[in-house]
Amino acid sequence: MKYGVTAATGKFGKRAVEYLTELVDKENIVALVRNTKKAEKILPTGIEIRQADYTDEEGLEKAFAGIGRLLFISSVPGGSYPRDKQHLNVVQAAQNAGVNFVAYTSFPHADQAKSLLASDHKITEKALTESGIKHAFLRNNWYLENQADLIKGALAGHPFQYSAGEGRVGWALEREYAEAAAKVLVTDVPKTVYEFAGNSLSFADLAKAVAGVSKRQFKVESLSEAEYRDELNKAGLQNAADIIIMIQNLIKEGELTENDRDLVDTLGRELTPLKEALLEI
C-alpha cells in the first residue's frame, strides 16, 4: 500500500510525513510536492518524492499513480488560481488515478459553517462525496500557532487585544493535527467526519494562560470591531485587517466552538497542556 501526502513541504505536510514514517515503512510513503529539490532537503530520507501541482490536473493524475491512500492538504486561499478549482483538480485526478481513500483537511463544521473561509471546503467535500472515493473529512479547528504574534506580543508586554468577545476556539498545536491526520490515513476503518479541536477557550482564557507563563504584565483588552480595526491600522496591518476581523467575527459567532474529543481519541492521548503548548510556541 502506497500512502501519499500532498503539499508535503509545507509545515503541516512535513510533520504529517514525519509522523507517517513512524506508522508505515518509508518505502511505502510518497511525498507530493511542487519543488522536489526543496523536498529532498527537508523531508526524511528514504521516501519517494514526486512532483505535483494543484493547478495541473494531468500532472496530478500521473503523480497519484499507484497511491492507495492520500492525505490531501488544502491549499492556501487568495492566489491567482482559485482554490476551489485547485481542489477540484486534486479530486478529479485522484478519481482518475484510482486512489482508494482520501483524507482531506477541511474547515470546522464545513457543511454548516457560514464563513466565507469555509466556501472552498464545502465545494471540496461535496466533490469528494460525489466522486465515490472513500474519504474522511479532517475538519481542523484553529492552530494555536495562529495566535503566535498575539502571544509573543503579550509576553513582550504589549496589550493582548481581540474583538471576538466571549467566542470560543478549539485551539491545539499544529503538530497534533498533523499527527492525527497521519493516524487517520492508516486507520483501517476511519470515520467519514472528524471534528478535530482542542478544548474550547475564549480569548480571555487564553490571555490568562499567557499571563501564567509571562515574566511581564500586559493589558487584556476586549475591543469593539471598530476599535480593533483602529488598533490594527496603527500597527500597520491595514492590508490584513479585513481577514483578521472576519476571523474574529466568526469566532464571536461561535463557528469555532467545539467540544468533540475526536482529536484526543485519534491521537490516543490527551493534548499538550496549554501552558506547555504556549512555551513551545
Side-chain angles (χ1 to χ4, degrees):
M1 171 74 75
K2 290 284 187 180
Y3 298 87
V5 178
T6 68
T9 55
K11 187 180 294 185
F12 188 99
K14 178 178 179 291
R15 287 190 178 276
V17 168
E18 291 169 349
Y19 286 120
L20 198 55
T21 62
E22 300 174 6
L23 302 171
V24 300
D25 291 338
K26 286 184 178 181
E27 62 186 17
N28 292 326
I29 300 173
V30 179
L32 301 146
V33 301
R34 284 186 300 177
N35 187 328
T36 57
K37 290 185 178 180
K38 178 181 178 181
E40 290 169 357
K41 293 178 181 178
I42 68 173
L43 294 178
T45 58
I47 65 172
E48 183 179 354
I49 296 172
R50 299 181 188 176
Q51 201 279 331
D53 192 308
Y54 288 176
T55 65
D56 179 8
E57 182 187 324
E58 185 177 343
L60 286 166
E61 184 176 336
K62 292 178 181 178
F64 291 163
I67 291 175
R69 288 179 159 241
L70 179 69
L71 174 55
F72 170 18
I73 298 171
S74 58
S75 66
V76 178
S80 59
Y81 194 105
R83 180 164 71 163
D84 61 345
K85 175 57 177 170
Q86 292 182 45
H87 287 188
L88 293 176
N89 287 343
V90 175
V91 174
Q92 188 61 59
Q95 189 175 14
N96 293 345
V99 173
N100 298 321
F101 172 77
V102 173
Y104 167 66
T105 60
S106 190
F107 189 89
H109 299 281
D111 55 336
Q112 305 169 32
K114 298 177 182 178
S115 171
L116 290 175
L117 293 176
S119 59
D120 293 339
H121 295 290
K122 288 183 179 181
I123 291 170
T124 309
E125 287 194 3
K126 183 174 184 290
L128 277 168
T129 299
E130 294 177 349
S131 73
I133 302 173
K134 292 181 180 180
H135 55 268
F137 300 144
L138 314 180
R139 292 175 174 170
N140 292 344
N141 206 283
W142 250 223
Y143 305 153
L144 188 58
E145 288 87 343
N146 289 349
Q147 310 304 152
D149 289 342
L150 178 63
I151 293 166
K152 291 177 181 178
L155 292 174
H158 301 298
F160 186 103
Q161 299 173 326
Y162 59 94
S163 65
E166 295 302 312
R168 304 177 77 81
V169 184
W171 286 297
L173 290 169
E174 183 175 3
R175 63 173 174 80
E176 293 178 312
Y177 289 105
E179 180 181 353
K183 289 190 172 182
V184 170
L185 192 63
V186 303
T187 297
D188 290 336
V189 186
K191 300 199 302 183
T192 302
V193 175
Y194 293 85
E195 295 290 349
F196 282 155
N199 295 324
S200 286
L201 302 171
S202 67
F203 275 91
D205 294 329
L206 182 61
K208 184 177 180 179
V210 175
V213 300
S214 178
K215 296 180 180 179
R216 297 187 182 186
Q217 292 185 337
F218 55 87
K219 292 182 179 180
V220 179
E221 299 177 345
S222 178
L223 308 175
S224 68
E225 179 178 325
E227 291 170 334
Y228 192 45
R229 186 179 291 277
D230 285 343
E231 292 298 328
L232 292 172
N233 290 339
K234 290 177 185 176
L237 296 172
Q238 295 93 332
N239 293 335
D242 285 344
I243 185 68
I244 294 173
I245 294 292
M246 181 197 301
I247 292 171
Q248 290 285 311
N249 285 338
L250 73 88
I251 293 171
K252 182 187 295 184
E253 292 162 6
E255 290 204 38
L256 298 185
T257 300
E258 183 60 65
N259 293 303
D260 202 300
R261 285 182 60 85
D262 278 349
L263 185 54
V264 169
D265 291 344
T266 300
L267 292 174
R269 57 172 171 77
E270 293 297 322
L271 300 180
T272 304
L274 184 54
K275 179 178 180 180
E276 293 179 21
L278 289 171
L279 292 173
E280 184 173 321
I281 291 175

